[in-house]
């Protein structure tokens, strides 16, 4: 029942669905850490086998999720703590081989659509150093620093090109060691919006992100390691409606007041229930998303928190 | 059953609900025009009595709705036709007494949240003349023209003030003859988004608009006639979910495959069905909206079409 | 010779001109502080008498100038120190009578012209509290805090109204205790751009600011104390050209290589020299300004530094 | 004397300088057209030989200049006429070989610095078609249309990369037939600002544009024809000051009232005069530009006029 009409870019939510359904997934290793003092929960999920990847519907690799229920509040000092934690997690996934690194940060998404503007606005605030190092040499900053460059490829309706085409072109020209891709994600639950950061070494996969990138951005397609950092800022409209309807059906089955209903629905198998829900879903919902009214404030805060995390990681 | 958890800023949709329920509303007069050549449908609804106002849940006055299914397409010439029609409708509602007029255009809403940015972006593109007339006299433009000023009051989270406070202050200082308030609206149906313009001489009422203005902007509160021009750009998340669930319940009642269900649900009266739906609706949905993924393009186009309409009306 | 074709919004520069000309100004008291550890120089100038005001061409009151040659660099920690210092200076000028205060922060200038966008962008980043206090009472934040509201009145070409009209209207409606006006200034010397903050209790005076506000914003015109905080971001084009030409004339007079010239120019008195320079100045220069190519980065940094200063002062 | 401290991106102004100095340039052919009805002057300059190129300091090729003194006014219909004329001139320079074309429009410059935002804002308003044609085939629009894509590469301080690197990458990936580069230019005379459009098949050359592109964008460096369209929006601060000083020296030489001066200055040769001026120019001026206070309105208007011209040319 789980994958029907439902979409999430969070590996954490995919796994939760399995847990709800009491299904065990082989080939996926999970570790949890909890920092009591700042109420940050870190879940590291490693998809180790092809079977695990198939079950999860996500490529093999490491998915780290940082959850902080207070992430969506105004406290500046608290955001600094999240940035420090984020920097630590990014470094965990960075290629170890050489120092200093040449890093390209790609801010994916559409700057003109508020919940999709996270990527572009993170790039607005990162410390760009590559051009200075290229002009003045590696001691331009007094010490050896990483060469950071940034790109905002825009979306197809604005450029007529895939993000992948623009990013791959820039990589071919400038040969960075690693790419960091920042993107706004779709979650399944509204509770996660603006409160969760996912960091993964698997890059961006086709169909993920608020705007559904057609082609992926990964080591496979770009030739260099790609670390993707995403924050869920929307829920697909079809997902939210479908989920609530399934809850309604379930409530009817369980509600003692509706016993005769329960009998009727029991006559339907899961597939038939899906069918029923699907028929009622307006096809227009597939082109729509759900987002909080104060998403502008969340995006402003999150873009600082993420850019600060990157600045700490690469300083 | 109709008003439960459901919100629309369009008088047209409120009336449709009555029609669905086969309820006749007294004190509301409706006229329809259809321009075949450009496929524009114009519905003029006049709420004439207090009873009509109570039934509709909207103040007495005139509500003109311009519907054009192609409004959300790229054709520039077509948009020009809509602008011309809009200008004609605005003039119909303008106070007749004097010429030229002094007009304040208020762009309501939050510039930083895409579907709520309509008002601010319309003001960005209107021809402002008041300051020129004030400095160079009434023949500054070779002929007598209307004095147009514009204001973008922002939203409470940005200013700490009600739109009403800022707008009323500006009106007290500059004494315009009439105010035009531009606002993004919430519709009930996703089909209406970006395809409908509502023009009304009743102003903006408390709780309307994407961002739920607390206090109204009307002749009653501001002391001058207020013409509100709105385009629906979002559906409340609670509305879309509640509506789909009601459709699900209805489908269950009607579906022959689900006859036993039908018996069960029939045992519930309308109030109990509402209760069931309400229990399932997450309270977070009330702070969320549904909007199309390409809302940035709609807002860009609509803001030109509306500002062009205003520029034609006041040139 | 000094006032000819020359404009500065900095009291400090007006005084320097007198010093250059070895003119003593009565009724103006000056104190200087220097913080060695962070290289910040603070000059407090009090214009005490009407004679002093007349000589200076500026109203009676206190003008505090904070100079930091590193203000235009990227170091975030350093900017924090400037913010702390700024908060201290703002508090020095705040009305002492009551606590907590209700403060309106007005971001003057044109958001669409980079060097004039300082004011609007500071307001984007201040902590707005008035609406929360109004809704949830004075302990909404756990302790008594100041009620901060913000307004971005825009410029006449955008609104058709004077900043003064919009700001005065908002003050009448919301009755703040004090207004803080943020504005981009014109300096005389390019060396000062983005490196100096002027804080004064005399408000904004007619003709000051990058965009030349027609009407002043001061306690006299608004009825409440007005503290103006400004940073020079442009030099008037006429000023820079006129100044350089005067330097050329002076160089000719002094240069031994040009002795015969010296004789010639000596034949001209100061007034004739002014006349000569004025004739050569294109009248178009009066509608133009000079600004650094990287003004976008300065404005970004300065708007954070100033908003941070305000947030510290009013938290 | 002409090249000293003086910079212009307009071939027209370079040529004027020669005319002032009564120098004839070989290898440069010039034709002028004047459209009386809409007061548009078109000058076509062809640099035909290497000698001509050397004398002009610009590469061989065609430079078309469209001058319209009313270009900086609000009349929308007039701007439409300029767009139509511009489309005609672009088509003149387009490669003739094949139809339909695949065109990449590059909006150069810094979106965050108003006079440099022309290129990015033109790309915001062009009709992008490439992605639709790629997905739905060449009859997606009912007729064969050109495939238009757009890119806004940003500036080095934002990306750490040269515009050339980003643009070349995109060209390698998407293989367009021709590139159109839009850029804000530096003029020598303030009179030309926002009133002149230069169209050339020589592309963008190192050191041109408001932000001084380090590396050029031309057929030589990119491998495809590059048509550059530019509008002057700034004058270099050093240029304006140097020019005015030279005028002062000239005035002194000519002014009968200053006869003794004349004698003195005559003693100086041109080189010594240059030296004198150079000594007085502050080195900071080289990082500064002069621009009109209402540059935001010019950029808004011009970006529509240019994007409209491109949309007509490629529709």
């Amino acid at each position: 029942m789980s994958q029907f009409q439902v979409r999430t870019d969070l590996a954490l939510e995919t796994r939760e669905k399995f847990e709800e359904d009491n299904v065990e997934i082989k080939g996926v290793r999970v570790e949890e850490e909890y920092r009591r003092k700042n109420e940050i929960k870190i879940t590291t999920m490693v998809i180790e086998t092809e079977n695990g990847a198939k079950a999860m519907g996500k490529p093999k690799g490491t998915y780290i999720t940082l959850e902080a229920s207070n992430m969506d509040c105004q406290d500046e000092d608290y955001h600094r703590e999240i940035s420090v934690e984020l920097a630590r997690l990014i470094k965990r996934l960075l290629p170890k081989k050489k120092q200093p690194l040449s890093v390209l940060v790609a801010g994916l998404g559409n700057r003109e659509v508020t919940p999709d503007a996270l990527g572009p606005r993170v790039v607005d605030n990162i410390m760009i150093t590559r051009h200075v190092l290229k002009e003045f040499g590696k001691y331009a900053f007094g010490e050896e620093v990483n060469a950071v460059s940034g790109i905002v490829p825009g979306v197809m309706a604005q450029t007529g090109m895939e993000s992948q085409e623009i990013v791959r072109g820039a990589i071919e020209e400038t040969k960075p060691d690693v790419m960091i891709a920042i993107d706004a994600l779709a979650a399944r639950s509204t509770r996660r919006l603006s409160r969760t950061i996912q960091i993964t070494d698997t890059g961006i996969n086709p169909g993920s992100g608020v705007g559904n990138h057609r082609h992926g951005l990964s080591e496979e397609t770009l030739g260099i390691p790609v670390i993707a950092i995403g924050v869920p800022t929307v829920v697909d409209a079809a997902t939210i409606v479908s989920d609530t309807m399934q809850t309604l059906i379930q409530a009817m089955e369980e509600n003692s007041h509706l016993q005769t209903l329960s009998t009727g629905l029991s006559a339907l198998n899961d597939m038939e229930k899906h069918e029923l829900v699907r028929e009622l879903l307006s096809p227009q919902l597939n082109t729509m998303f759900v987002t909080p009214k104060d998403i502008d404030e969340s995006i402003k805060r999150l873009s600082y928190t993420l850019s600060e995390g990157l600045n700490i990681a690469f300083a």
Side-chain angles (χ1 to χ4, degrees), chain A residues 133-200:
Chain A
L133 292 167
K134 246 191 117 185
E135 184 158 2
F136 300 104
K138 65 180 181 175
Y139 296 107
F141 295 94
E143 50 184 339
E144 271 199 302
V145 301
N146 298 296
V148 180
S149 54
I151 193 164
V152 175
V155 296
M156 273 211 293
Q158 293 162 349
T159 65
M161 299 183 274
E162 288 273 351
S163 302
Q164 204 206 54
E165 292 174 309
I166 298 174
V167 165
R168 193 163 54 195
I171 289 173
E172 273 162 30
E173 290 289 318
T174 65
K175 311 282 181 211
D177 299 315
V178 60
M179 183 168 104
I180 311 285
I182 316 291
D183 202 9
L185 303 178
R188 176 161 184 185
S189 158
T190 56
R191 278 179 310 107
R192 294 224 183 274
L193 300 184
S194 310
R195 285 190 181 79
T196 305
I197 303 174
Q198 176 173 280
I199 308 125
T200 172

Side-chain angles (χ1 to χ4, degrees), chain A residues 69-176:
Chain A
S69 55
N70 299 325
M71 203 186 289
D72 202 30
C73 73
Q74 271 199 338
D75 184 336
E76 224 170 83
D77 294 331
Y78 184 62
H79 277 265
R80 175 84 190 178
E81 290 180 38
I82 298 176
S83 298
V84 168
E85 195 62 54
L86 176 61
R88 202 179 58 80
L89 298 173
I90 293 169
K91 280 180 179 166
R92 228 199 252 173
L93 296 186
L94 278 180
K96 297 295 173 304
K97 12 193 172 171
K98 54 175 277 198
Q99 281 295 331
L101 286 166
S102 169
V103 183
L104 173 61
V105 182
L108 306 176
N110 185 348
R111 191 189 283 281
E112 302 300 321
V113 173
T114 316
D116 203 18
L118 180 70
R121 293 182 62 168
V122 167
V123 172
D124 289 350
N125 287 301
I126 52 171
M127 294 259 295
I128 298 294
T129 56
R130 179 180 177 267
H131 60 306
V132 182
L133 292 167
K134 246 191 117 185
E135 184 158 2
F136 300 104
K138 65 180 181 175
Y139 296 107
F141 295 94
E143 50 184 339
E144 271 199 302
V145 301
N146 298 296
V148 180
S149 54
I151 193 164
V152 175
V155 296
M156 273 211 293
Q158 293 162 349
T159 65
M161 299 183 274
E162 288 273 351
S163 302
Q164 204 206 54
E165 292 174 309
I166 298 174
V167 165
R168 193 163 54 195
I171 289 173
E172 273 162 30
E173 290 289 318
T174 65
K175 311 282 181 211

Side-chain angles (χ1 to χ4, degrees), chain A residues 7-303:
Chain A
R7 181 179 151 223
T8 175
D9 294 324
L10 293 175
L12 200 70
E13 287 190 331
T14 307
R15 184 173 150 264
E16 274 172 358
K17 200 72 200 73
F18 282 101
E19 286 179 347
E20 279 170 33
D21 299 353
N22 284 314
V23 177
E24 203 194 333
I25 339 163
K26 281 178 185 165
V28 179
R29 185 164 47 81
V30 179
E31 269 166 54
E32 294 184 355
E33 303 163 64
Y34 185 71
R35 314 221 173 289
R36 192 175 306 272
K37 73 168 171 128
N38 47 26
E39 297 178 57
I40 293 176
K41 184 180 167 191
I42 292 163
T43 309
T44 305
M45 189 180 318
V46 186
I47 302 185
E48 295 176 314
T49 65
E50 281 308 330
N51 272 348
K54 210 174 156 189
M56 292 285 290
K58 300 197 178 295
K60 279 200 298 182
T62 302
Y63 299 82
I64 308 177
T65 315
L66 186 163
E67 290 172 276
S69 55
N70 299 325
M71 203 186 289
D72 202 30
C73 73
Q74 271 199 338
D75 184 336
E76 224 170 83
D77 294 331
Y78 184 62
H79 277 265
R80 175 84 190 178
E81 290 180 38
I82 298 176
S83 298
V84 168
E85 195 62 54
L86 176 61
R88 202 179 58 80
L89 298 173
I90 293 169
K91 280 180 179 166
R92 228 199 252 173
L93 296 186
L94 278 180
K96 297 295 173 304
K97 12 193 172 171
K98 54 175 277 198
Q99 281 295 331
L101 286 166
S102 169
V103 183
L104 173 61
V105 182
L108 306 176
N110 185 348
R111 191 189 283 281
E112 302 300 321
V113 173
T114 316
D116 203 18
L118 180 70
R121 293 182 62 168
V122 167
V123 172
D124 289 350
N125 287 301
I126 52 171
M127 294 259 295
I128 298 294
T129 56
R130 179 180 177 267
H131 60 306
V132 182
L133 292 167
K134 246 191 117 185
E135 184 158 2
F136 300 104
K138 65 180 181 175
Y139 296 107
F141 295 94
E143 50 184 339
E144 271 199 302
V145 301
N146 298 296
V148 180
S149 54
I151 193 164
V152 175
V155 296
M156 273 211 293
Q158 293 162 349
T159 65
M161 299 183 274
E162 288 273 351
S163 302
Q164 204 206 54
E165 292 174 309
I166 298 174
V167 165
R168 193 163 54 195
I171 289 173
E172 273 162 30
E173 290 289 318
T174 65
K175 311 282 181 211
D177 299 315
V178 60
M179 183 168 104
I180 311 285
I182 316 291
D183 202 9
L185 303 178
R188 176 161 184 185
S189 158
T190 56
R191 278 179 310 107
R192 294 224 183 274
L193 300 184
S194 310
R195 285 190 181 79
T196 305
I197 303 174
Q198 176 173 280
I199 308 125
T200 172
D201 58 8
T202 60
I204 304 277
N205 294 290
S208 65
V210 169
N212 277 24
H213 311 296
R214 208 92 60 81
H215 298 144
L217 300 171
S218 62
E219 179 152 13
E220 208 181 329
T221 59
L222 298 177
I224 56 169
V226 179
I227 297 173
I229 304 177
V231 177
T233 61
V234 306
V235 175
D236 274 10
T239 298
I240 213 167
V241 171
S242 161
D243 265 20
T244 326
M245 286 201 293
Q246 309 239 15
T247 315
L248 172 62
I249 291 175
Q250 201 179 332
M252 284 170 162
E253 292 177 329
E254 290 165 4
N255 194 324
S256 63
H257 186 64
L258 300 167
Q259 278 180 340
T260 40
L261 276 172
S262 159
T263 329
L265 278 162
S266 301
L268 299 178
N269 63 25
D270 274 8
M271 213 54 218
E272 287 167 318
K273 282 180 208 157
H274 287 157
E275 215 45 51
L276 181 65
V277 167
R278 179 149 68 175
E279 276 167 24
L280 297 170
L281 279 178
S282 155
Q284 280 176 295
L285 285 182
N286 288 316
T287 62
M288 307 229 161
F289 61 75
V290 179
T291 202
K293 287 176 183 173
D294 62 352
I295 186 66
D296 56 326
E297 294 170 54
S298 300
I299 291 291
K300 193 159 111 177
R301 262 195 302 273
L302 285 166
S303 61

